[in-house]
């Protein structure tokens, strides 16, 4: 039976299971070492939770070249693979949480950040209460992910973004960081709203090709389409460079900002809501995706509809294979 993903504020059982499961994955030895994963520094075991941090960090590093040149293909950001890639990542996390919780019916909860955006983006919203995900700080000082250095089981950030461009990985040992609603250029004062989500869902392409509703040439951070609207690179506006998905990362700040953003458990609740919005779009328009396999492999390899989505965590999927996930999970409500 498919599991049902619900709003974390409306399903306290899922919330409590999520927090407990994250703690278990943070303590579990993945059987990989930092040396095996190419993370400089002492050779130490990598915890299962931190495999996701490394995976995302490595992929992000290939997505945004330091010289600002066009993005490298076969990466998870700034292109059409953004939504399928993160859907696969969420699926691997959900399976691992089901395993450590010993609850095959566990479903990832989501954070409906647009509801908080509609409520004027309060930094003390319910999700940031000590009973839920805790608030901001350097380190976060309350809630289940507060840092207590004398406690060996405390939530600890062990791998972080490093280097002048933030695109390398380094070992560390510190608490989780968040810095809500900072002023630009280091933050953003507001969360996205429900009207902005609806505008992205309602996008209509100028070209009659149905797949253009999803994404268009050149399939990058400037292309028109639902994917890019939801990812948040358009509309282009120097006064407001962030939208929707990107805006949530920047508003949260701290560890949600760099390539190692999965260090914050809020990352998955955020991306679960992004996935829910995509599910709502698929429900409206059908299983549309671009580019298809006629796109030149020397340019779009890794992003075409039947190209494998590489993963170090399990069997590969393709964009086509995750357009219909109704046999695996669904959502309590769709936008």
């Amino acid at each position: 039976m498919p599991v049902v993903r619900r709003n974390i504020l409306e399903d306290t059982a899922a919330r409590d299971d999520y927090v407990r499961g994250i703690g278990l994955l943070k303590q579990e030895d993945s059987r990989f070492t930092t040396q095996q994963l190419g993370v400089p520094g002492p050779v130490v075991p990598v915890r299962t939770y931190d495999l996701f941090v490394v995976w995302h960090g490595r992929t992000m590093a290939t997505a945004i070249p330091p010289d600002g040149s066009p993005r490298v293909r076969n990466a998870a950001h700034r292109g059409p693979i953004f939504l399928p890639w993160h859907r696969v990542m969420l699926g691997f996390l959900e399976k691992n949480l089901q395993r450590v919780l010993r609850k095959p019916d566990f479903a990832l909860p989501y954070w409906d950040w647009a509801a908080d955006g509609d409520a004027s983006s309060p930094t003390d919203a319910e999700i940031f209460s000590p009973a839920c995900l805790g608030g901001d700080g350097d380190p976060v000082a309350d809630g289940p992910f507060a840092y207590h250095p004398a406690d060996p089981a405390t939530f600890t950030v062990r791998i972080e973004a490093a280097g002048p461009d933030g695109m390398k990985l380094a070992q560390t040992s510190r608490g989780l960081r968040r810095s809500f609603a900072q002023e630009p250029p280091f933050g953003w004062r507001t969360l996205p709203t429900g009207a902005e989500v609806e505008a992205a869902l309602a996008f209509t392409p100028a070209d009659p090709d149905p797949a253009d509703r999803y994404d268009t040439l050149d399939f990058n951070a400037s292309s028109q389409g639902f994917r890019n609207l939801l990812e948040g690179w358009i509309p282009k506006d120097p006064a407001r460079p962030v939208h929707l998905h990107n805006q949530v990362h920047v508003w949260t700040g701290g560890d949600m900002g760099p390539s190692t953003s999965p260090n914050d458990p809020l990352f998955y609740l955020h991306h679960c809501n992004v996935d829910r919005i995509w599910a709502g779009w698929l429900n409206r328009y059908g299983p549309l995706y671009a580019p298809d396999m006629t796109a030149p492999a020397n340019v779009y390899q890794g992003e075409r509809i039947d190209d494998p989505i590489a993963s170090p965590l399990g069997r590969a999927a393709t964009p086509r294979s995750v357009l219909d996930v109704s046999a695996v999970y669904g959502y309590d409500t769709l936008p």
Side-chain angles (χ1 to χ4, degrees):
M1 290 289 292
V3 300
V4 179
R5 296 177 176 178
R6 304 182 187 279
N7 189 320
I8 193 168
L9 301 182
E10 298 173 1
D11 191 337
T12 56
R15 177 200 68 194
D16 293 345
D17 282 341
Y18 179 72
V19 167
R20 185 166 68 89
I22 292 296
L24 291 170
L25 291 179
K26 257 296 188 180
Q27 297 299 316
E28 182 182 65
D29 184 351
S30 73
R31 295 182 292 180
F32 288 92
T33 67
T34 49
Q35 182 182 52
Q36 289 172 312
L37 297 178
V39 181
V43 179
V44 296
V46 174
R47 311 299 171 87
T48 300
Y49 184 93
D50 297 327
L51 289 178
F52 290 84
V53 177
V54 173
W55 182 21
H56 191 270
R58 292 284 189 222
T59 306
M60 192 81 168
T62 64
I64 309 174
D67 63 0
S69 59
R71 59 180 295 281
V72 176
R73 295 290 164 182
N74 200 14
H77 306 83
R78 301 190 178 202
I81 202 71
F82 168 73
L83 291 168
W85 191 96
H86 284 86
R87 176 166 279 186
V88 170
M89 186 187 206
L90 290 175
F92 281 131
L93 181 76
E94 191 167 65
K95 288 295 184 185
N96 274 276
L97 289 170
Q98 290 168 349
R99 174 180 58 80
V100 296
L101 290 168
R102 299 183 180 181
K103 289 188 172 185
D105 59 347
F106 169 79
L108 280 173
Y110 63 86
W111 168 33
D112 184 2
W113 32 257
D116 286 324
D118 288 340
S120 301
S121 308
T123 58
D124 61 349
E126 184 180 351
I127 190 170
F128 302 121
S129 68
C132 199
L133 270 285
D136 64 355
D138 183 8
V140 169
D142 65 356
F145 306 116
Y147 186 58
H148 306 288
D151 180 1
T154 195
F155 189 88
T156 304
V157 172
R158 299 187 180 93
I159 296 173
E160 64 182 0
D165 58 2
M167 291 298 158
K168 298 188 182 300
L169 299 179
Q171 295 183 47
T172 187
S173 181
R174 60 170 176 81
L176 179 65
R177 296 170 179 163
R178 295 183 186 136
S179 51
F180 298 155
Q182 299 299 301
E183 293 288 346
F186 303 108
W188 201 256
R189 296 292 295 170
T190 60
L191 288 164
T193 65
E196 291 171 310
V197 171
E198 182 54 42
L201 288 164
F203 168 79
T204 301
D207 191 283
D209 183 349
D212 281 355
R213 188 180 289 276
Y214 179 77
D215 211 346
T216 55
L217 283 170
D218 291 321
F219 304 112
N220 58 20
S222 296
S223 57
Q224 297 299 304
F226 166 75
R227 184 277 309 169
N228 208 15
L229 287 164
L230 181 53
E231 191 173 359
W233 299 111
I234 57 172
K236 298 292 185 184
D237 181 353
R240 184 184 170 186
V242 292
H243 308 273
L244 294 182
H245 156 267
N246 289 345
Q247 187 177 344
V248 176
H249 277 277
V250 175
W251 182 91
T252 307
D255 280 310
M256 276 281 277
S259 63
T260 48
S261 49
N263 269 318
D264 192 337
L266 188 67
F267 171 94
Y268 298 101
L269 307 182
H270 164 36
H271 271 274
C272 198
N273 194 52
V274 170
D275 187 78
R276 182 179 73 98
I277 295 168
W278 184 31
W281 184 89
L282 289 165
N283 186 60
R284 294 187 187 195
Y285 305 113
L288 301 176
Y289 183 84
D292 62 21
M293 297 306 288
T294 65
N298 65 327
V299 179
Y300 300 110
Q301 180 71 44
E303 296 186 304
R304 300 173 304 171
I305 192 167
D306 292 317
D307 285 338
I309 299 172
S311 166
L313 297 171
R315 184 174 60 86
T318 65
R320 189 191 302 275
S321 72
V322 297
L323 294 179
D324 180 1
V325 292
S326 58
V328 182
Y329 69 87
Y331 287 96
D332 55 353
T333 60
L334 294 177

